[in-house]
């Protein structure tokens, strides 16, 4: 959920950008019509407002997931079936 959908104010085409980038003062060019979109918290355009709101929400969810990941211990990676019975020997004699 690291990206947000953005609808162009001119051509109405939908494209994606990372939520971390979409902050106050960020500008991005539409990939289809090449108009420059300026992202501001106090924008009057509903497409820009929606993108900024979704980006804020996505950044919050990523922060919460990161905090929960630090609090909980990581589970050990599951071993494949072919590796499950093998153990590493201390010394090997040839």
């Amino acid at each position: 959920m690291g990206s947000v959908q953005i609808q162009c104010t001119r051509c109405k085409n939908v494209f994606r950008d990372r939520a971390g980038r979409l902050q106050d003062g960020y500008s991005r060019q539409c990939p289809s019509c090449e108009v420059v979109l300026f992202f501001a918290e106090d924008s009057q355009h509903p497409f820009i407002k929606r993108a900024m709101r979704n980006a804020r929400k996505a950044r919050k969810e990523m922060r919460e997931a990161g905090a929960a990941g630090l609090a909980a211990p990581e589970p050990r990676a599951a071993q494949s079936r072919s590796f499950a019975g093998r153990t590493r020997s201390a010394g090997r004699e040839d």
Side-chain angles (χ1 to χ4, degrees):
M1 179 97 185
S3 63
V4 176
Q5 285 189 340
I6 304 165
Q7 189 169 4
C8 179
T9 57
R10 182 176 174 199
C11 69
K12 311 298 187 251
N13 192 20
V14 177
F15 59 95
R16 295 178 90 58
D17 203 350
R18 284 190 255 165
R21 289 183 180 174
L22 246 61
Q23 295 184 5
D24 200 23
Y26 177 68
S27 61
R28 166 78 195 259
Q29 196 171 18
C30 174
S32 61
C33 70
E34 298 181 353
V35 70
V36 178
L37 302 172
F38 294 97
F39 296 92
E41 293 290 337
D42 58 347
S43 176
Q44 295 301 314
H45 204 285
F47 297 160
I48 302 295
K49 279 185 179 179
R50 184 183 324 131
M52 295 294 283
R53 185 173 50 248
N54 292 342
R56 250 191 329 272
K57 183 179 175 183
R59 286 192 304 268
K60 181 180 177 185
E61 288 174 359
M62 289 186 333
R63 277 194 309 269
E64 289 173 353
L70 292 176
E74 291 186 22
R76 290 187 57 177
Q79 296 176 349
S80 66
R81 290 183 184 181
S82 61
F83 187 76
R86 299 181 190 176
T87 57
R88 195 167 240 197
S89 61
R92 185 175 170 183
E93 294 181 25
D94 287 330

